[in-house]
Amino acid sequence: MKEETAARFSVSLPPVLLRGLDRMTAEKGYDNRSLAVADMIRAELIKHRQQRRSGEIAGTVTLVYDHHRRHVQELLTAVQHDHPGLVVATMHVHLDHDNCLEVLVTRGKAKAIKRMADQLIAAKGVKHGHLTVTSSGKDLPA
Ligand code: NI
């Protein structure tokens, strides 16, 4: 793959903000603030794309539920069958006697993923749910 040269731009910031950035850069283990800023920009671009609800995204839906609650597993399966092709992999972990953790890896149109995740998270018996969105990688330079 062709190595892209870095583009430089200057940014004016309040000193307190720059100190905060440098502290976070060190705490997160980045070699320099350019790497930290690049990751922040990527994250914002992904969030922006998700909010615009266009294009293809990848993501994970994390669900915690009590498997003793009637029909919750059937309900979660039914929702996934209503959105064929969106879920590419699932992982189920039995957290304790009552609680299950399920992680669904999804890929597809942002709008469809958001709609399915909302249904899963709102399903009766789900204690906590969360959609984490990332890029499908195709439209994002390294
Ligand atoms: Ni379980």
Side-chain angles (χ1 to χ4, degrees):
M1 188 184 285
K2 183 173 167 286
E3 184 95 3
E4 277 205 355
T5 56
R8 291 177 185 276
F9 69 106
S10 58
V11 178
S12 301
L13 292 175
V16 65
L17 209 51
L18 184 59
R19 283 197 297 276
L21 173 63
D22 285 343
R23 197 178 313 119
M24 187 187 76
T25 297
E27 285 171 1
K28 287 191 166 189
Y30 288 106
D31 282 345
N32 56 61
R33 69 166 74 108
S34 290
L35 294 173
V37 169
D39 268 1
M40 288 162 66
I41 292 172
R42 283 188 197 97
E44 283 304 310
L45 288 173
I46 290 164
K47 200 160 80 181
H48 177 69
R49 199 166 297 141
Q50 183 200 9
Q51 283 162 356
R52 285 182 59 218
R53 292 180 168 189
S54 65
E56 187 179 79
I57 59 168
T60 56
V61 183
T62 304
L63 303 166
V64 174
Y65 61 90
D66 183 341
H67 74 97
H68 292 122
R69 287 288 298 266
R70 275 172 61 84
H71 306 312
V72 59
Q73 272 166 325
E74 289 87 340
L75 187 59
L76 297 182
T77 302
V79 170
Q80 291 175 55
H81 278 280
D82 286 344
H83 303 270
L86 280 189
V87 178
V88 293
T90 61
M91 180 175 69
H92 185 107
V93 177
H94 313 298
L95 291 175
D96 57 31
H97 182 71
D98 303 314
N99 294 296
C100 300
L101 170 73
E102 211 154 290
V103 180
L104 285 54
V105 179
T106 66
R107 186 183 56 202
K109 294 283 179 200
K111 196 173 179 176
I113 288 176
K114 185 77 168 65
R115 194 182 313 122
M116 182 187 66
D118 284 345
Q119 282 181 284
L120 290 166
I121 292 165
K124 211 172 170 184
V126 173
K127 292 180 173 180
H128 179 70
H130 186 72
L131 168 65
T132 302
V133 168
T134 184
S135 165
S136 63
K138 289 177 194 162
D139 51 355
L140 201 66

